[in-house]
Amino acid sequence: MARALALAALADGRTSPNPLVGCVVLDAEGELVGEGYHRQAGQPHAEVMALRRAGDRAKGGTLYVTLEPCCHHGRTPPCSEAVIAAGLRRVVIALADPDPRVAGGGIAQLKAAGIEVISGVRQAEAAQQNRAFLHRIRTGRPWGLLKWAMSLDGRTALPNGASQWISSPPARSWVHHLRAGVDAVIVGGGTLRADNPLLTSRGQRNPEPLRVVLSRTLELPKAAQLWDQSSAATLVAHGPEAPAQAKQQLDQLGVERIELVACEPTALLEALAQRGCNRVLWECGPQLAAAAIAAGCVQETAAVVAPALLGGAAARTPLGDLGFSAMDQVIRLSPSSPQELGSDWLFQSLLPED
């Protein structure tokens, strides 16, 4: 199962809306005869890849898979049928699939066919690996990761707004790698106006993650790097109050836009989940970041801390007002060990679950 989990990880950030799945097949004598992983939505699932490699040697053998085989028809046939047809004696599963289209149905089909099924092997590791997929199935929203870079005194910009570059080149390279593992990168209109960001993985992923701008007023620049979609797609989300002229301007630029029932984080993430996003990255300003946290749209934080002092009482900080008035109200994050990124430190933490 450890090998199956390692195989699944090879497709991190590329399988949405599907989960990460790895599979290993042993023959009747316990010799490895096939392995595979799900590479991308629409491509063969891990079990099918492994069984193809195993061929007839799978008969009477054991299949190890990180997630319950699917039992429904989608873009690919049910994996449960392929497993049964292979003549396996035993199937070992790490994690049951909570997708309502499966939800134990795959396991039931295997058992009905006379196959021995063992579940829960390295279950916690499998759940951690697919935490974004599991979160979307459970809540109807993608897993949210909030990232910021700040100085040692907690500033993200000087009082005059200058912010490039707080972090070191190794830290910025790490951010590009981070983007390669998500389905969408989200900013607000203020960040777009102030920073004119590119928001890509710099070629570490193909296709690049969707770049999303959430803006209530659509007071957006006519020229921006995000409007050039030759390397990455851009989506602008707004509420029903957005001015018609501003919407027309985006349409003329060829930028896709969606009108949400309300211009707020929950509505945006529900819309992105419907587009198949499992994991999103918030790279927004303090007010939108605070709103996303307050709405339960952030499950994880990543803070890059540079050994620099910016100062300034009016300097920008990572988060806007969360409405707390007593220390027993503050959000306590999970402990984390810092990681060195060049001259900077990275702190990654989970927010407490609801």
Side-chain angles (χ1 to χ4, degrees):
M1 190 62 76
R3 175 60 180 168
L5 287 164
L7 288 167
L10 295 175
D12 188 26
R14 292 169 172 81
T15 62
S16 295
N18 297 344
L20 296 165
V21 184
C23 182
V24 171
V25 178
L26 307 182
D27 66 12
E29 284 71 45
E31 182 180 347
L32 175 64
V33 293
E35 60 182 27
Y37 65 96
H38 183 44
R39 297 172 182 267
Q40 189 175 341
Q43 294 191 14
H45 288 188
E47 300 94 317
V48 173
M49 296 292 291
L51 290 170
R52 283 178 182 174
R53 291 185 170 90
D56 292 339
R57 298 184 67 184
K59 189 172 183 179
T62 301
L63 180 144
Y64 290 81
V65 65
T66 59
L67 191 71
E68 176 184 0
C70 65
C71 57
H72 63 279
H73 285 270
R75 285 195 265 183
T76 58
C79 291
S80 57
E81 294 181 3
V83 173
I84 293 169
L88 292 154
R89 180 173 63 89
R90 180 189 299 115
V91 172
V92 182
I93 299 169
L95 185 68
D97 190 344
D99 189 321
R101 297 172 297 176
V102 184
I107 291 175
Q109 283 189 5
L110 299 180
K111 289 182 175 179
I115 298 174
E116 178 188 1
V117 178
I118 300 172
S119 301
V121 176
R122 305 189 86 138
Q123 178 175 305
E125 293 172 64
Q128 171 67 13
Q129 185 177 73
N130 267 315
R131 62 190 182 280
F133 169 76
L134 299 175
H135 179 80
R136 180 179 63 79
I137 293 297
R138 180 172 61 86
T139 67
R141 300 191 301 269
W143 178 276
L145 168 58
L146 173 63
K147 185 277 300 179
W148 67 83
M150 68 181 184
S151 62
L152 192 60
D153 57 339
R155 269 63 174 172
T156 59
L158 293 169
N160 65 1
S163 61
Q164 294 183 338
W165 295 99
I166 291 176
S167 58
S168 63
R172 298 199 292 274
S173 295
W174 175 84
V175 171
H176 300 156
H177 176 73
L178 181 66
R179 291 175 186 158
V182 303
D183 302 306
V185 181
I186 306 170
V187 297
T191 297
L192 178 59
R193 290 188 294 270
D195 299 340
N196 188 23
L198 186 58
L199 302 182
T200 70
S201 71
R202 305 303 195 268
Q204 294 189 37
R205 170 177 168 168
N206 185 21
E208 291 279 357
L210 178 68
R211 303 175 299 184
V212 181
V213 181
L214 180 63
S215 174
R216 179 171 285 102
T217 65
L218 290 185
E219 293 179 3
L220 306 175
K222 294 183 179 180
Q225 292 190 96
L226 295 190
W227 305 155
D228 179 1
Q229 300 183 75
S230 57
S231 61
T234 299
L235 173 70
V236 175
H238 58 83
E241 70 275 19
Q245 184 177 357
K247 292 189 287 188
Q248 184 179 18
Q249 177 182 316
L250 286 171
D251 295 341
Q252 291 172 346
L253 288 170
V255 177
E256 183 184 3
R257 59 178 180 83
I258 55 171
E259 182 171 306
L260 306 173
V261 293
C263 190
E264 47 87 21
T266 300
L268 173 61
L269 291 203
E270 289 173 350
L272 292 178
Q274 292 174 5
R275 296 172 71 101
C277 292
N278 281 339
R279 189 176 186 226
V280 300
L281 176 61
W282 295 92
E283 290 199 57
C284 51
Q287 302 309 317
L288 181 53
I293 289 176
C297 293
V298 174
Q299 284 64 54
E300 184 180 3
T301 62
V304 175
V305 181
L309 302 176
L310 272 61
R316 193 167 62 180
T317 58
L319 295 178
D321 187 9
L322 288 168
F324 301 147
S325 58
M327 288 304 296
D328 60 0
Q329 298 174 321
V330 304
I331 299 171
R332 301 289 181 179
L333 305 179
S334 63
S336 63
S337 299
Q339 173 186 343
E340 289 188 52
L341 295 175
S343 59
D344 304 325
W345 291 96
L346 169 66
F347 293 84
Q348 293 179 281
S349 300
L350 295 175
L351 273 70
E353 296 185 11
D354 296 337

